[in-house]
Each structure stands twice: as structure tokens, then as C-alpha cells.
Amino acid sequence: DAGVIQSPRHEVTEMGQEVTLRCKPISGHNSLFWYRQTMMRGLELLIYFNNNVPIDDSGMPEDRFSAKMPNASFSTLKIQPSEPRDSAVYFCASSLWGQGNTEAFFGQGTRLTVV
Amino acid sequence: TQLLEQSPQFLSIQEGENLTVYCNSSSVFSSLQWYRQEPGEGPVLLVTVVTGGEVKKLKRLTFQFGDARKDSSLHITAAQPGDTGLYLCAGAGSGGYQKVTFGTGTKLQVIP
């Protein structure tokens, strides 16, 4: 398996533009997570899906952020409009939840820079 | 919100030295994990501890879960340059789903 695949790896955009980050989880996994990592705040959970359904989006910063999971093999995180303070590395992770398993497999991340 | 504080934040040591990283919380976790993250990559799981007082060894790394399941430590013996990276602890709550909260991180540099 290729692991969790994220695209793009790097994104530079101007303030106010729409940004879409993409994630392909590991085949067979039933849980998907979007995280944001910054020096100041560390690794923060933004949203969690189980069986394609959003379970907890309490970490989504504000209405400018939205996430979808239309099927088991694809998810997007959209920021519209983007702001400089959104600059961070965004990680997608997937896991096979059940029987006490909590191991998450992370993608390589998307480094977002908003100028 | 379940917070996990790690100490120290930064650690720079010589090859061959021993070190301990701590992960503390006021919350009880059903399990606790340690991840290592290298530059440009996502975190990779090292170990999961589940039982209070549990000790797990992974070559030169020793992980311990506190008796009350609120804290954990990672001890590295004879550190090597390949141990360099960001170490993250992560606690899983006891809710209906596996919400995992990550610690603040410890950046380790092992100098040859």
C-alpha cells in the first residue's frame, strides 16, 4: 500500500484565494483525520470522519474551513477565503478504528503558505 | 479539552548520552502513543501503551505509562544521530470514538 497520499505537497497562494487540499486514505481504513501543525500550536485536530461521516469538527477554526469525504477513498479540506494566519502544514491521517486500535497513519502533509 | 504537556521542548545532546522525555496531563487516557516525526514527513507511530504502569521496550527506547494513565515517559539509551526528530505523545480519550490529542512535542537533536 502506498500509504496516505496528500496533494499538493506545497501550496503558495494569495490572501483571499480558495485553497483545496486533497487526501487519499489507506484502502480499508474507516477513519480519517485532518490535522494542522504550526510551531506555535503544535499538531491540532481539525476534523474527524468515521465511515465517511463527519463525527467531530470542533477543531475547525471558523466557517472559512470546510471538509468533505464523498467516499471512502477521498477527502478534501477547503479554505475560502484564505488568510496569512492559515499558513501551516496540514496533515491527513487514516486509521482502522475498532477493537481498541488507535494507530493513525499520516500522509506527508501539505505545506500551505498564504501571502 | 485534554491537554498534554511535554518536557523538555528542546533537547540537544551528544551521541551516546541518555535522555528522558516526559508527557504529562491532568486527564486520564484510555491509551497513550508516542510518535516520531522527521522533517518534511508526517508522524510515525513508535508504540502504544494501554495499561497503567505498563513498560514497553523498543530496542534502545523504553516507554512507560503512568499508574494513573495520566502521564508517560520515553527514555532513550545511548542516543544516536538517527534518533534526531520531533517526538510527540498522543492520548486517546475514552469517548465513543478515538479522538487523539497530541502533546506539545519535544525536538531532539543528537550530535555525532
Side-chain angles (χ1 to χ4, degrees), chain B residues 67-78:
Chain B
D67 291 341
R69 305 206 318 275
K70 293 182 179 182
D71 53 81
S72 180
S73 64
L74 157 61
H75 183 79
I76 302 178
T77 303

Side-chain angles (χ1 to χ4, degrees), chain A residues 9 37 56 95 102-103 108, chain B residues 33 37 40-41 45 97-98:
Chain A
R9 288 294 311 274
Q37 188 175 39
D56 184 351
S95 72
T102 57
E103 178 177 2
Q108 291 186 298
Chain B
Q33 301 169 321
Q37 184 179 15
E41 302 292 331
L45 181 69
Y97 69 94
Q98 53 156 358

Side-chain angles (χ1 to χ4, degrees), chain A residues 89-103:
Chain A
V89 181
Y90 290 81
F91 286 101
C92 174
S94 71
S95 72
L96 181 60
W97 181 61
Q99 298 179 346
N101 175 51
T102 57
E103 178 177 2

Side-chain angles (χ1 to χ4, degrees), chain A residues 9 31 33 35 37 43 45 48 55-56 58 91 95 97 101-104 106-108, chain B residues 10 31 33 35 37 40-43 45 48 86 88 92 96-100 102-103:
Chain A
R9 288 294 311 274
S31 298
F33 309 82
Y35 286 90
Q37 188 175 39
L43 201 58
L45 177 65
Y48 159 71
I55 303 298
D56 184 351
S58 59
F91 286 101
S95 72
W97 181 61
N101 175 51
T102 57
E103 178 177 2
F106 283 77
Q108 291 186 298
Chain B
F10 301 97
S31 66
Q33 301 169 321
Y35 287 79
Q37 184 179 15
E41 302 292 331
L45 181 69
T48 301
L86 177 68
L88 295 159
Y97 69 94
Q98 53 156 358
K99 181 167 184 173
V100 173
F102 278 83

